[in-house]
Amino acid sequence: PRINQNVPVVGVKNENLVARKWDELEKDMQNALQNGVVHYPGTALPGDNGNVVITGHSSYYAWDSGNFKDVFALLHEVKMGDKVVVYFNQKKFIYEVFDIKTVSPKDVDVLAPTNSEQLTLITCTPIGTNLRRLIVTARLVEKG
């Protein structure tokens, strides 16, 4: 609610992830990002125990098609304790932010499975670059 976004979460097939075809996976992700934010393939789904990872653009080429090229531009305004609401399979999942940090793009530990239900939001930072990744992590506090 803090950044006033209501965005579709788009899925990407995990075939290229399983086959370790990283360039093809990146193409799949970039194509999907034109239609919303992307659930990272191979990570948990809401309602499953584990790490639900969702990524979105903070800024992208002005000439690029799609309505979601800056959907996470205000993600840096999210604060500890803020709520993030996700709807999946006609169920509402409310998460509470407990960690905010920036990491190197090579730090893929943020994609790792967890023993509890959590949500990880990822975008590039600073806005207009892809130098670092802003990571917002939230724990599930309510589902229904």
Side-chain angles (χ1 to χ4, degrees):
R2 181 173 300 276
I3 65 172
N4 196 30
Q5 289 291 341
N6 185 359
V7 185
V9 178
V10 180
V12 172
K13 294 179 186 175
N14 67 358
E15 294 164 355
N16 288 320
L17 174 70
V18 171
R20 297 177 173 254
K21 294 181 179 178
W22 307 124
D23 290 340
E24 294 302 314
L25 178 61
E26 178 65 19
K27 287 179 192 172
D28 293 345
M29 299 279 291
Q30 291 301 323
N31 287 335
L33 283 165
Q34 292 184 0
N35 300 309
V37 293
V38 174
H39 170 258
Y40 200 92
T43 67
L45 293 170
D48 294 342
N49 200 38
N51 189 13
V52 179
V53 179
I54 296 176
T55 186
H57 284 307
S58 61
S59 64
Y60 202 59
Y61 304 118
W63 59 86
D64 187 60
S65 61
N67 296 322
F68 304 101
K69 53 190 161 211
D70 62 354
V71 69
F72 277 170
L74 298 178
L75 192 60
H76 65 277
E77 292 184 7
V78 169
K79 304 206 181 319
M80 302 288 272
D82 279 358
K83 302 292 192 283
V84 180
V85 179
V86 176
Y87 290 92
F88 181 73
N89 283 344
Q90 286 74 46
K91 293 183 181 159
K92 182 178 182 179
F93 299 85
I94 301 175
Y95 299 86
E96 184 176 299
V97 175
F98 72 88
D99 190 35
I100 301 169
K101 63 185 176 186
T102 60
V103 300
S104 162
K106 294 180 182 182
D107 186 353
V108 295
D109 291 345
V110 298
L111 302 173
T114 58
N115 293 325
S116 60
E117 294 184 56
Q118 80 172 37
L119 173 68
T120 302
L121 303 177
I122 302 174
T123 197
C124 293
T125 194
I127 293 174
T129 74
N130 62 359
L131 298 174
R132 310 255 319 143
R133 299 296 179 265
L134 174 62
I135 310 298
V136 174
T137 311
R139 68 179 52 89
L140 184 68
V141 293
E142 184 181 331
K143 62 179 166 181

